[in-house]
Amino acid sequence: MIPYGFSYRRAQSLNEAVALLQKSPEAKLLAGGQTLVTTMKARLANPAELIDIGQIRELSFIRGDNSAITIGAATTHASVAESATVKSAIPALAILAHQIGDPAVRHMGTLGGSVANNDPAADYPAAVLALGATITTTARSIAADDFFTGMFATALAEDEIISEIRFPVPEKAGYAKFPNPASRYAMTGVFVARTKDGVRVAVTGAGPCVFRVAEMEAALAANFAPAAVENIRIDPTDLNSDIHGSAEYRANLVTVMAKRAVVQALGSS
Amino acid sequence: MAVVSMTVNGKPVSHEVEDRTLLVYFLRETLGLTGTHIGCDTSQCGACVVHVNGRAVKSCTLFAGQAAGADVLTIEGLAKDGQLHPVQEAFRENHGLQCGFCTPGMIMTAVDMIRREPDLTREKIRSELEGNICRCTGYHNIVSAIEDAAGRMARGAA
Ligand SMILES: Cc1cc2nc3c(=O)[nH]c(=O)nc-3n(C[C@H](O)[C@H](O)[C@H](O)COP(=O)(O)OP(=O)(O)OC[C@H]3O[C@@H](n4cnc5c(N)ncnc54)[C@H](O)[C@@H]3O)c2cc1C
Ligand code: FES
Ligand code: FES
Protein backbone atom coordinates (compact mmCIF):
# COMPACT_ATOMS: atom_id res chain seq x y z
CA MET A 1 0.00 0.00 0.00
CA ILE A 2 2.79 2.41 -0.84
CA PRO A 3 1.90 4.87 -3.61
CA TYR A 4 4.18 5.75 -6.51
CA GLY A 5 6.43 8.73 -5.86
CA PHE A 6 5.14 12.29 -6.27
CA SER A 7 5.86 15.73 -4.92
CA TYR A 8 3.61 17.36 -2.36
CA ARG A 9 2.79 21.06 -2.06
CA ARG A 10 0.42 22.62 0.43
CA ALA A 11 -1.42 25.70 -0.80
CA GLN A 12 -2.16 28.37 1.81
CA SER A 13 -4.78 30.22 -0.23
CA LEU A 14 -7.08 29.64 -3.16
CA ASN A 15 -5.01 32.06 -5.27
CA GLU A 16 -1.87 30.09 -4.50
CA ALA A 17 -3.61 26.83 -5.45
CA VAL A 18 -4.71 28.32 -8.77
CA ALA A 19 -1.19 29.56 -9.49
CA LEU A 20 0.37 26.19 -8.60
CA LEU A 21 -2.13 24.38 -10.81
CA GLN A 22 -1.38 26.69 -13.72
CA LYS A 23 2.34 26.07 -13.31
CA SER A 24 1.94 22.27 -13.24
CA PRO A 25 -1.08 21.23 -15.27
CA GLU A 26 -0.21 17.59 -14.48
CA ALA A 27 -0.76 18.16 -10.77
CA LYS A 28 -3.80 16.82 -8.95
CA LEU A 29 -5.70 18.51 -6.15
CA LEU A 30 -5.74 16.82 -2.76
CA ALA A 31 -8.50 17.79 -0.32
CA GLY A 32 -9.41 15.25 2.38
CA GLY A 33 -7.66 12.44 0.55
CA GLN A 34 -10.30 9.89 1.57
CA THR A 35 -10.74 8.92 -2.05
CA LEU A 36 -7.50 10.06 -3.64
CA VAL A 37 -5.03 8.67 -1.07
CA THR A 38 -6.84 5.32 -1.08
CA THR A 39 -6.69 5.23 -4.88
CA MET A 40 -2.99 6.17 -4.84
CA LYS A 41 -2.23 3.45 -2.28
CA ALA A 42 -3.81 0.93 -4.61
CA ARG A 43 -1.66 2.45 -7.39
CA LEU A 44 -4.77 3.15 -9.43
CA ALA A 45 -3.78 6.82 -9.56
CA ASN A 46 -0.29 8.09 -10.17
CA PRO A 47 -0.16 11.90 -10.09
CA ALA A 48 3.32 13.43 -10.37
CA GLU A 49 2.37 16.24 -8.03
CA LEU A 50 -0.26 16.88 -5.37
CA ILE A 51 -1.49 20.33 -4.43
CA ASP A 52 -3.06 20.12 -0.99
CA ILE A 53 -6.08 22.43 -0.72
CA GLY A 54 -7.47 20.66 2.34
CA GLN A 55 -6.09 23.20 4.79
CA ILE A 56 -6.96 26.43 3.03
CA ARG A 57 -8.90 28.36 5.66
CA GLU A 58 -10.99 30.42 3.24
CA LEU A 59 -12.38 27.16 1.79
CA SER A 60 -13.67 25.87 5.11
CA PHE A 61 -16.84 27.64 6.26
CA ILE A 62 -20.60 27.30 6.59
CA ARG A 63 -22.68 30.44 6.09
CA GLY A 64 -26.44 30.57 6.25
CA ASP A 65 -29.27 33.01 5.76
CA ASN A 66 -33.01 32.49 5.27
CA SER A 67 -32.72 31.57 1.64
CA ALA A 68 -29.56 29.45 1.38
CA ILE A 69 -26.64 27.76 3.05
CA THR A 70 -23.24 28.18 1.46
CA ILE A 71 -20.51 25.70 2.33
CA GLY A 72 -16.81 26.00 1.48
CA ALA A 73 -15.36 23.20 -0.63
CA ALA A 74 -12.84 22.11 2.02
CA THR A 75 -15.44 21.84 4.78
CA THR A 76 -15.34 18.33 6.24
CA HIS A 77 -18.30 15.96 6.37
CA ALA A 78 -18.04 16.09 10.20
CA SER A 79 -18.33 19.90 10.24
CA VAL A 80 -21.45 19.77 8.06
CA ALA A 81 -22.97 16.99 10.20
CA GLU A 82 -22.34 18.93 13.43
CA SER A 83 -23.25 22.40 12.16
CA ALA A 84 -26.13 24.06 14.02
CA THR A 85 -26.76 26.20 10.93
CA VAL A 86 -27.16 23.18 8.66
CA LYS A 87 -29.16 21.21 11.24
CA SER A 88 -31.70 23.99 11.60
CA ALA A 89 -32.03 25.06 7.94
CA ILE A 90 -31.56 21.78 6.03
CA PRO A 91 -31.56 18.93 8.58
CA ALA A 92 -31.53 16.34 5.78
CA LEU A 93 -28.14 17.64 4.65
CA ALA A 94 -26.68 17.18 8.14
CA ILE A 95 -28.21 13.68 8.30
CA LEU A 96 -26.64 12.86 4.92
CA ALA A 97 -23.19 14.09 5.99
CA HIS A 98 -23.44 12.10 9.22
CA GLN A 99 -24.05 8.88 7.25
CA ILE A 100 -20.91 9.15 5.11
CA GLY A 101 -18.38 6.40 5.88
CA ASP A 102 -17.24 6.47 9.50
CA PRO A 103 -16.08 9.15 11.99
CA ALA A 104 -12.43 9.14 10.84
CA VAL A 105 -13.45 9.47 7.19
CA ARG A 106 -15.81 12.31 8.11
CA HIS A 107 -13.03 14.15 9.93
CA MET A 108 -10.96 14.31 6.72
CA GLY A 109 -13.30 14.01 3.73
CA THR A 110 -14.65 17.22 2.21
CA LEU A 111 -17.74 18.40 0.35
CA GLY A 112 -15.73 19.63 -2.64
CA GLY A 113 -13.78 16.38 -2.93
CA SER A 114 -16.92 14.28 -2.86
CA VAL A 115 -18.75 16.37 -5.44
CA ALA A 116 -15.71 16.69 -7.75
CA ASN A 117 -15.15 12.95 -7.59
CA ASN A 118 -18.81 12.13 -8.42
CA ASP A 119 -18.57 8.51 -7.36
CA PRO A 120 -21.79 6.79 -8.52
CA ALA A 121 -22.38 5.65 -4.92
CA ALA A 122 -21.45 8.91 -3.14
CA ASP A 123 -24.04 10.64 -0.97
CA TYR A 124 -23.51 14.38 -1.56
CA PRO A 125 -24.36 14.39 -5.29
CA ALA A 126 -27.95 13.44 -4.37
CA ALA A 127 -28.28 16.49 -2.10
CA VAL A 128 -26.62 18.83 -4.60
CA LEU A 129 -28.96 17.71 -7.39
CA ALA A 130 -32.19 17.49 -5.37
CA LEU A 131 -31.69 20.85 -3.69
CA GLY A 132 -30.79 22.50 -7.00
CA ALA A 133 -27.49 23.72 -5.55
CA THR A 134 -25.03 25.97 -7.36
CA ILE A 135 -21.40 24.94 -7.57
CA THR A 136 -19.01 27.88 -7.62
CA THR A 137 -15.53 27.31 -9.00
CA THR A 138 -12.50 29.45 -9.62
CA ALA A 139 -13.86 30.05 -13.14
CA ARG A 140 -17.68 30.21 -12.96
CA SER A 141 -20.91 29.08 -11.32
CA ILE A 142 -22.47 25.80 -12.45
CA ALA A 143 -26.05 24.67 -11.81
CA ALA A 144 -26.37 21.19 -10.31
CA ASP A 145 -28.39 20.05 -13.34
CA ASP A 146 -25.38 20.78 -15.57
CA PHE A 147 -22.66 19.56 -13.23
CA PHE A 148 -22.87 15.75 -12.98
CA THR A 149 -22.20 14.47 -16.49
CA GLY A 150 -21.57 10.74 -16.04
CA MET A 151 -19.82 8.05 -14.03
CA PHE A 152 -16.98 9.81 -12.12
CA ALA A 153 -17.44 12.68 -14.61
CA THR A 154 -18.37 16.31 -14.02
CA ALA A 155 -18.45 19.60 -15.92
CA LEU A 156 -15.22 20.68 -14.18
CA ALA A 157 -12.25 21.61 -16.38
CA GLU A 158 -8.82 20.21 -15.42
CA ASP A 159 -7.66 23.51 -13.92
CA GLU A 160 -10.92 24.40 -12.20
CA ILE A 161 -11.25 24.30 -8.41
CA ILE A 162 -14.59 24.16 -6.59
CA SER A 163 -14.59 26.96 -4.02
CA GLU A 164 -18.07 26.68 -2.53
CA ILE A 165 -21.53 25.21 -2.98
CA ARG A 166 -24.76 27.10 -2.33
CA PHE A 167 -27.77 25.06 -1.22
CA PRO A 168 -31.14 26.86 -1.40
CA VAL A 169 -33.16 26.20 1.78
CA PRO A 170 -36.14 23.96 0.88
CA GLU A 171 -39.55 23.92 2.57
CA LYS A 172 -39.04 20.26 3.35
CA ALA A 173 -36.32 17.73 2.56
CA GLY A 174 -35.35 14.19 3.45
CA TYR A 175 -32.56 11.73 2.63
CA ALA A 176 -32.75 7.97 2.99
CA LYS A 177 -30.00 5.60 2.02
CA PHE A 178 -29.55 1.88 2.02
CA PRO A 179 -25.83 1.62 2.79
CA ASN A 180 -23.61 -1.08 1.46
CA PRO A 181 -23.06 -3.03 4.69
CA ALA A 182 -19.28 -3.14 4.17
CA SER A 183 -18.32 0.23 2.71
CA ARG A 184 -21.28 2.42 3.82
CA TYR A 185 -21.42 3.95 0.33
CA ALA A 186 -24.99 4.13 -0.98
CA MET A 187 -26.37 0.98 -2.58
CA THR A 188 -29.18 3.42 -3.24
CA GLY A 189 -29.81 6.82 -1.69
CA VAL A 190 -32.72 9.13 -2.43
CA PHE A 191 -32.87 12.83 -1.62
CA VAL A 192 -36.27 14.50 -1.83
CA ALA A 193 -36.70 18.28 -1.62
CA ARG A 194 -39.81 20.44 -1.84
CA THR A 195 -39.48 24.15 -2.57
CA LYS A 196 -41.98 26.77 -3.68
CA ASP A 197 -40.98 25.89 -7.26
CA GLY A 198 -41.84 22.22 -6.95
CA VAL A 199 -40.35 18.92 -5.87
CA ARG A 200 -37.01 17.43 -6.89
CA VAL A 201 -36.02 13.79 -6.35
CA ALA A 202 -32.40 12.72 -6.88
CA VAL A 203 -31.11 9.15 -6.75
CA THR A 204 -27.53 8.09 -6.07
CA GLY A 205 -25.96 4.62 -5.92
CA ALA A 206 -28.50 2.99 -8.21
CA GLY A 207 -27.19 4.13 -11.59
CA PRO A 208 -23.84 5.07 -13.14
CA CYS A 209 -24.44 8.71 -12.15
CA VAL A 210 -26.85 10.56 -9.87
CA PHE A 211 -30.20 11.17 -11.64
CA ARG A 212 -33.64 12.73 -11.13
CA VAL A 213 -36.96 10.87 -11.28
CA ALA A 214 -39.53 13.04 -13.10
CA GLU A 215 -42.46 10.72 -12.36
CA MET A 216 -41.84 10.88 -8.61
CA GLU A 217 -41.35 14.64 -8.75
CA ALA A 218 -44.74 15.12 -10.43
CA ALA A 219 -46.51 12.74 -8.06
CA LEU A 220 -45.02 14.44 -4.99
CA ALA A 221 -45.83 17.91 -6.33
CA ALA A 222 -49.48 16.84 -6.45
CA ASN A 223 -49.42 15.07 -3.08
CA PHE A 224 -46.33 15.29 -0.85
CA ALA A 225 -46.88 11.99 0.97
CA PRO A 226 -45.22 8.54 0.98
CA ALA A 227 -48.29 7.06 -0.74
CA ALA A 228 -47.60 9.25 -3.79
CA VAL A 229 -44.41 7.33 -4.63
CA GLU A 230 -44.99 3.86 -3.25
CA ASN A 231 -46.43 2.45 -6.46
CA ILE A 232 -43.99 4.11 -8.85
CA ARG A 233 -41.74 1.45 -10.40
CA ILE A 234 -38.31 2.36 -11.71
CA ASP A 235 -37.03 0.83 -14.95
CA PRO A 236 -33.92 -1.24 -14.09
CA THR A 237 -32.52 -1.20 -17.64
CA ASP A 238 -29.71 1.32 -17.04
CA LEU A 239 -29.14 0.65 -13.34
CA ASN A 240 -26.05 -0.89 -11.70
CA SER A 241 -25.73 -4.60 -11.16
CA ASP A 242 -22.92 -6.07 -9.05
CA ILE A 243 -22.21 -8.68 -6.39
CA HIS A 244 -24.05 -6.53 -3.85
CA GLY A 245 -27.33 -6.34 -5.73
CA SER A 246 -28.97 -6.66 -9.13
CA ALA A 247 -30.39 -3.77 -11.15
CA GLU A 248 -33.90 -4.98 -10.30
CA TYR A 249 -33.04 -4.94 -6.59
CA ARG A 250 -31.73 -1.39 -6.85
CA ALA A 251 -34.79 -0.30 -8.84
CA ASN A 252 -36.97 -1.51 -5.97
CA LEU A 253 -34.70 0.24 -3.45
CA VAL A 254 -35.29 3.57 -5.22
CA THR A 255 -39.00 3.34 -4.48
CA VAL A 256 -38.45 2.21 -0.88
CA MET A 257 -35.84 4.90 -0.15
CA ALA A 258 -37.97 7.60 -1.81
CA LYS A 259 -40.84 6.69 0.49
CA ARG A 260 -38.58 6.83 3.56
CA ALA A 261 -37.10 10.16 2.45
CA VAL A 262 -40.61 11.65 2.22
CA VAL A 263 -41.46 10.31 5.70
CA GLN A 264 -38.31 11.96 7.03
CA ALA A 265 -39.08 15.22 5.21
CA LEU A 266 -42.55 15.33 6.73
CA GLY A 267 -41.14 14.65 10.19
CA SER A 268 -38.66 17.50 10.02
CA SER A 269 -40.92 20.31 8.83
CA MET B 1 11.95 14.43 -0.02
CA ALA B 2 11.00 17.06 2.49
CA VAL B 3 11.58 17.76 6.15
CA VAL B 4 8.36 17.09 8.00
CA SER B 5 7.91 18.53 11.49
CA MET B 6 5.04 17.95 13.88
CA THR B 7 4.33 17.34 17.53
CA VAL B 8 3.83 13.68 18.44
CA ASN B 9 2.61 12.81 21.94
CA GLY B 10 3.70 16.23 23.16
CA LYS B 11 7.23 16.10 21.73
CA PRO B 12 8.38 18.01 18.66
CA VAL B 13 9.78 15.74 15.91
CA SER B 14 11.39 16.58 12.59
CA HIS B 15 12.58 14.14 9.91
CA GLU B 16 13.36 14.15 6.22
CA VAL B 17 11.09 11.67 4.44
CA GLU B 18 9.79 10.96 0.94
CA ASP B 19 6.67 12.94 0.05
CA ARG B 20 4.77 9.69 -0.46
CA THR B 21 5.29 8.66 3.17
CA LEU B 22 1.95 7.93 4.80
CA LEU B 23 1.54 9.20 8.36
CA VAL B 24 1.27 5.62 9.62
CA TYR B 25 4.73 4.80 8.23
CA PHE B 26 6.15 8.04 9.60
CA LEU B 27 4.92 6.99 13.04
CA ARG B 28 5.86 3.33 12.83
CA GLU B 29 9.07 3.34 10.83
CA THR B 30 10.56 6.79 11.17
CA LEU B 31 9.64 7.29 14.84
CA GLY B 32 9.44 3.62 15.89
CA LEU B 33 5.97 4.08 17.40
CA THR B 34 4.64 0.67 16.44
CA GLY B 35 1.53 0.82 18.62
CA THR B 36 -0.33 2.23 15.62
CA HIS B 37 -1.19 -0.75 13.43
CA ILE B 38 -1.88 -1.40 9.75
CA GLY B 39 -4.66 -3.89 9.17
CA CYS B 40 -5.81 -3.27 5.60
CA ASP B 41 -5.06 -1.69 2.24
CA THR B 42 -8.46 -0.10 1.79
CA SER B 43 -8.86 2.49 4.57
CA GLN B 44 -11.57 0.41 6.19
CA CYS B 45 -10.23 -1.35 9.30
CA GLY B 46 -9.30 1.52 11.63
CA ALA B 47 -6.27 -0.25 13.20
CA CYS B 48 -4.28 2.87 12.29
CA VAL B 49 -6.49 5.51 13.97
CA VAL B 50 -4.60 8.35 15.69
CA HIS B 51 -5.65 11.88 16.62
CA VAL B 52 -4.53 14.81 14.47
CA ASN B 53 -5.29 18.14 16.12
CA GLY B 54 -7.68 16.37 18.47
CA ARG B 55 -9.71 14.45 15.91
CA ALA B 56 -9.60 10.74 15.07
CA VAL B 57 -8.27 10.03 11.57
CA LYS B 58 -6.93 7.01 9.71
CA SER B 59 -3.17 7.51 9.61
CA CYS B 60 -2.96 5.18 6.59
CA THR B 61 -5.07 7.61 4.56
CA LEU B 62 -3.08 10.78 5.05
CA PHE B 63 0.44 11.69 4.02
CA ALA B 64 2.89 12.73 6.71
CA GLY B 65 3.17 16.08 4.91
CA GLN B 66 -0.53 16.73 5.45
CA ALA B 67 0.11 16.46 9.20
CA ALA B 68 3.11 18.82 9.14
CA GLY B 69 2.68 21.38 11.90
CA ALA B 70 -0.06 19.34 13.56
CA ASP B 71 -0.43 17.92 17.03
CA VAL B 72 -0.55 14.13 16.78
CA LEU B 73 -1.58 11.76 19.56
CA THR B 74 -0.95 8.01 19.29
CA ILE B 75 -1.78 5.13 21.62
CA GLU B 76 1.69 5.54 23.18
CA GLY B 77 0.78 9.05 24.34
CA LEU B 78 -2.44 8.14 26.12
CA ALA B 79 -1.21 6.93 29.52
CA LYS B 80 0.00 9.71 31.82
CA ASP B 81 2.63 9.23 34.56
CA GLY B 82 2.30 5.45 34.45
CA GLN B 83 -1.51 5.70 34.83
CA LEU B 84 -3.53 4.09 32.09
CA HIS B 85 -6.11 6.34 30.40
CA PRO B 86 -9.66 5.53 31.62
CA VAL B 87 -10.47 4.04 28.21
CA GLN B 88 -7.41 1.76 28.38
CA GLU B 89 -8.35 0.77 31.92
CA ALA B 90 -11.93 0.00 30.84
CA PHE B 91 -10.76 -2.18 27.92
CA ARG B 92 -8.59 -4.14 30.36
CA GLU B 93 -11.35 -4.62 32.93
CA ASN B 94 -14.13 -5.43 30.44
CA HIS B 95 -12.03 -7.86 28.44
CA GLY B 96 -12.41 -5.57 25.44
CA LEU B 97 -9.71 -7.34 23.45
CA GLN B 98 -8.51 -10.77 22.48
CA CYS B 99 -5.52 -10.70 20.11
CA GLY B 100 -5.19 -6.95 20.59
CA PHE B 101 -4.45 -6.08 16.99
CA CYS B 102 -7.41 -3.73 16.58
CA THR B 103 -7.13 -2.34 20.11
CA PRO B 104 -4.97 0.78 19.58
CA GLY B 105 -7.33 1.97 16.86
CA MET B 106 -10.40 1.03 18.89
CA ILE B 107 -9.11 2.97 21.90
CA MET B 108 -8.17 6.08 19.89
CA THR B 109 -11.60 5.98 18.23
CA ALA B 110 -13.27 5.53 21.62
CA VAL B 111 -11.46 8.51 23.18
CA ASP B 112 -12.54 10.66 20.25
CA MET B 113 -16.16 9.48 20.38
CA ILE B 114 -16.45 10.10 24.14
CA ARG B 115 -15.09 13.62 23.66
CA ARG B 116 -17.69 14.36 20.97
CA GLU B 117 -20.64 12.48 22.43
CA PRO B 118 -20.64 12.31 26.21
CA ASP B 119 -24.12 10.70 26.21
CA LEU B 120 -23.33 7.43 24.49
CA THR B 121 -25.85 4.62 24.20
CA ARG B 122 -24.74 1.12 23.19
CA GLU B 123 -26.43 1.62 19.85
CA LYS B 124 -24.61 4.92 19.30
CA ILE B 125 -21.28 3.30 20.25
CA ARG B 126 -21.86 0.57 17.65
CA SER B 127 -22.59 3.09 14.92
CA GLU B 128 -19.54 5.17 15.90
CA LEU B 129 -17.40 2.01 15.57
CA GLU B 130 -18.34 1.75 11.90
CA GLY B 131 -14.74 2.36 10.77
CA ASN B 132 -13.06 -0.08 13.18
CA ILE B 133 -12.98 -3.78 12.45
CA CYS B 134 -12.26 -6.47 15.04
CA ARG B 135 -12.01 -10.06 13.90
CA CYS B 136 -11.87 -11.57 17.39
CA THR B 137 -14.25 -10.19 19.97
CA GLY B 138 -17.60 -9.90 18.22
CA TYR B 139 -17.54 -6.28 19.51
CA HIS B 140 -19.72 -6.97 22.55
CA ASN B 141 -17.02 -6.33 25.15
CA ILE B 142 -15.58 -3.44 23.17
CA VAL B 143 -18.96 -1.74 23.39
CA SER B 144 -19.13 -2.51 27.12
CA ALA B 145 -15.64 -1.12 27.65
CA ILE B 146 -16.48 2.14 25.89
CA GLU B 147 -19.76 2.48 27.77
CA ASP B 148 -17.93 1.89 31.05
CA ALA B 149 -15.16 4.35 30.16
CA ALA B 150 -17.65 7.06 29.18
CA GLY B 151 -19.36 6.63 32.54
CA ARG B 152 -16.06 6.81 34.47
CA MET B 153 -14.94 9.88 32.57
CA ALA B 154 -18.27 11.65 33.15
CA ARG B 155 -18.03 10.90 36.88
CA GLY B 156 -14.36 11.92 36.93
CA ALA B 157 -15.14 15.23 35.27
CA ALA B 158 -18.10 15.96 37.55
C1 LIG C 1 -13.74 3.82 4.34
C2 LIG C 1 -14.40 4.90 3.52
C3 LIG C 1 -15.79 4.96 3.48
C4 LIG C 1 -16.43 5.95 2.72
N1 LIG C 1 -17.78 5.96 2.72
C5 LIG C 1 -18.43 6.90 1.97
C6 LIG C 1 -19.86 6.98 1.97
O1 LIG C 1 -20.55 6.24 2.67
N2 LIG C 1 -20.44 7.92 1.19
C7 LIG C 1 -19.71 8.81 0.44
O2 LIG C 1 -20.30 9.65 -0.23
N3 LIG C 1 -18.37 8.77 0.46
C8 LIG C 1 -17.71 7.85 1.20
N4 LIG C 1 -16.33 7.84 1.21
C9 LIG C 1 -15.59 8.84 0.40
C10 LIG C 1 -15.41 10.14 1.17
O3 LIG C 1 -16.64 10.80 1.34
C11 LIG C 1 -14.42 11.09 0.50
O4 LIG C 1 -14.11 12.01 1.50
C12 LIG C 1 -14.92 11.87 -0.68
O5 LIG C 1 -15.44 11.04 -1.68
C13 LIG C 1 -13.79 12.65 -1.33
O6 LIG C 1 -13.51 13.81 -0.62
P1 LIG C 1 -12.03 14.16 -0.19
O7 LIG C 1 -12.07 15.53 0.39
O8 LIG C 1 -11.51 13.10 0.67
O9 LIG C 1 -11.33 14.26 -1.62
P2 LIG C 1 -9.92 13.75 -2.16
O10 LIG C 1 -9.80 12.31 -1.99
O11 LIG C 1 -8.83 14.60 -1.64
O12 LIG C 1 -10.13 14.11 -3.71
C14 LIG C 1 -11.07 13.42 -4.51
C15 LIG C 1 -11.03 14.01 -5.94
O13 LIG C 1 -11.60 15.31 -5.98
C16 LIG C 1 -10.68 16.28 -6.47
N5 LIG C 1 -10.94 17.49 -5.68
C17 LIG C 1 -10.90 17.59 -4.32
N6 LIG C 1 -11.28 18.83 -3.94
C18 LIG C 1 -11.57 19.52 -5.07
C19 LIG C 1 -12.04 20.85 -5.32
N7 LIG C 1 -12.30 21.71 -4.32
N8 LIG C 1 -12.22 21.23 -6.62
C20 LIG C 1 -11.99 20.36 -7.63
N9 LIG C 1 -11.55 19.10 -7.46
C21 LIG C 1 -11.35 18.67 -6.18
C22 LIG C 1 -9.31 15.65 -6.27
O14 LIG C 1 -8.39 16.13 -7.19
C23 LIG C 1 -9.62 14.17 -6.49
O15 LIG C 1 -9.66 13.88 -7.85
C24 LIG C 1 -15.66 6.88 1.98
C25 LIG C 1 -14.27 6.83 2.02
C26 LIG C 1 -13.63 5.85 2.79
C27 LIG C 1 -12.14 5.82 2.82
S1 FES D 1 -4.82 0.36 8.12
FE1 FES D 1 -5.82 2.28 8.12
S2 FES D 1 -7.87 1.73 7.92
FE2 FES D 1 -6.88 -0.20 7.80
S1 FES E 1 -8.99 -8.24 19.43
FE1 FES E 1 -8.22 -9.30 17.68
S2 FES E 1 -8.82 -7.99 16.08
FE2 FES E 1 -9.84 -7.14 17.75
Side-chain angles (χ1 to χ4, degrees):
Chain A
M1 54 173 251
I2 298 179
Y4 292 113
F6 62 88
S7 68
Y8 169 88
R9 289 287 296 273
R10 189 189 294 181
Q12 305 295 344
S13 68
L14 191 54
N15 282 341
E16 190 189 352
V18 171
L20 286 170
L21 204 52
Q22 266 158 9
K23 249 194 328 203
S24 358
E26 301 291 276
K28 219 166 163 42
L29 298 169
L30 173 70
Q34 301 302 290
T35 293
L36 187 53
V37 176
T38 312
T39 320
M40 289 172 68
K41 286 197 311 188
R43 298 197 164 186
L44 296 171
N46 181 20
E49 191 176 332
L50 286 186
I51 300 168
D52 185 358
I53 58 169
Q55 299 180 49
I56 297 177
R57 288 235 169 130
E58 63 187 301
L59 289 184
S60 177
F61 64 85
I62 297 172
R63 275 195 302 265
D65 58 37
N66 290 336
S67 63
I69 288 187
T70 305
I71 304 179
T75 308
T76 62
H77 308 329
S79 303
V80 174
E82 289 160 13
S83 159
T85 308
V86 178
K87 281 186 192 165
S88 78
I90 317 180
L93 189 59
I95 290 169
L96 176 148
H98 185 70
Q99 289 181 33
I100 297 175
D102 57 58
V105 168
R106 294 195 290 272
H107 282 152
M108 290 296 296
T110 70
L111 171 64
S114 175
V115 171
N117 194 50
N118 192 20
D119 188 304
D123 293 294
Y124 269 128
V128 170
L129 190 59
L131 291 166
T134 304
I135 296 104
T136 300
T137 74
T138 41
R140 57 192 165 140
S141 285
I142 309 171
D145 284 311
D146 304 324
F147 185 83
F148 302 105
T149 53
M151 190 163 167
F152 291 106
T154 68
L156 288 174
E158 286 293 331
D159 59 351
E160 209 170 353
I161 306 177
I162 300 177
S163 52
E164 61 185 42
I165 299 181
R166 181 175 183 277
F167 297 91
V169 174
E171 291 168 358
K172 290 184 191 306
Y175 179 65
K177 100 162 157 176
F178 189 90
N180 177 312
S183 76
R184 308 323 275 178
Y185 275 96
M187 291 271 295
T188 291
V190 178
F191 201 107
V192 172
R194 190 181 87 186
T195 65
K196 62 173 175 27
D197 302 324
V199 176
R200 292 167 67 107
V201 176
V203 177
T204 190
C209 177
V210 62
F211 63 91
R212 288 173 63 185
V213 187
E215 196 184 345
M216 287 185 170
E217 294 181 353
L220 288 168
N223 173 26
F224 197 80
V229 289
E230 72 185 352
N231 293 318
I232 296 180
R233 296 278 159 259
I234 302 296
D235 179 5
T237 309
D238 295 323
L239 299 189
N240 301 338
S241 214
D242 56 27
I243 55 162
H244 307 295
S246 64
E248 290 73 20
Y249 182 70
R250 283 186 165 86
N252 184 56
L253 276 181
V254 175
T255 304
V256 177
M257 292 303 122
K259 228 170 86 178
R260 288 187 192 169
V262 174
V263 170
Q264 189 196 96
L266 289 169
S268 68
S269 54
Chain B
M1 300 285 279
V3 175
V4 173
S5 307
M6 64 184 83
T7 305
V8 178
N9 299 332
K11 291 191 210 72
V13 298
S14 199
H15 289 275
E16 188 172 28
V17 292
E18 278 188 272
D19 287 9
R20 64 173 168 172
T21 307
L22 292 161
L23 179 60
V24 71
Y25 290 119
F26 185 79
L27 296 170
R28 288 178 55 84
E29 293 178 6
T30 310
L31 303 179
L33 294 171
T34 54
T36 301
H37 292 169
I38 300 171
C40 73
D41 285 342
T42 50
S43 304
Q44 283 178 312
C45 76
C48 63
V49 169
V50 302
H51 296 186
V52 172
N53 293 329
R55 304 206 123 192
V57 302
K58 291 174 175 173
S59 61
C60 73
T61 313
L62 151 99
F63 295 110
Q66 288 173 273
D71 213 335
V72 176
L73 181 69
T74 73
I75 190 73
E76 288 91 346
L78 220 47
K80 290 272 174 300
D81 307 321
Q83 277 292 125
L84 289 182
H85 185 280
V87 176
Q88 292 174 305
E89 195 63 49
F91 267 69
R92 194 170 72 84
E93 288 185 14
N94 291 276
H95 195 61
L97 59 143
Q98 288 177 23
C99 81
F101 193 86
C102 70
T103 313
M106 287 287 177
I107 289 179
M108 298 313 285
T109 297
V111 172
D112 176 74
M113 104 173 58
I114 294 169
R115 175 186 61 79
R116 284 183 291 112
E117 308 261 354
D119 296 320
L120 284 167
T121 59
R122 291 184 73 87
E123 193 190 347
K124 181 86 198 155
I125 293 169
R126 284 184 181 271
S127 86
E128 286 280 324
L129 286 178
E130 185 52 54
N132 292 77
I133 293 174
C134 174
R135 58 176 191 181
C136 303
T137 63
Y139 301 95
H140 187 81
N141 288 352
I142 293 176
V143 175
S144 299
I146 296 173
E147 194 180 28
D148 182 19
R152 291 178 198 219
M153 288 168 75
R155 285 192 297 278

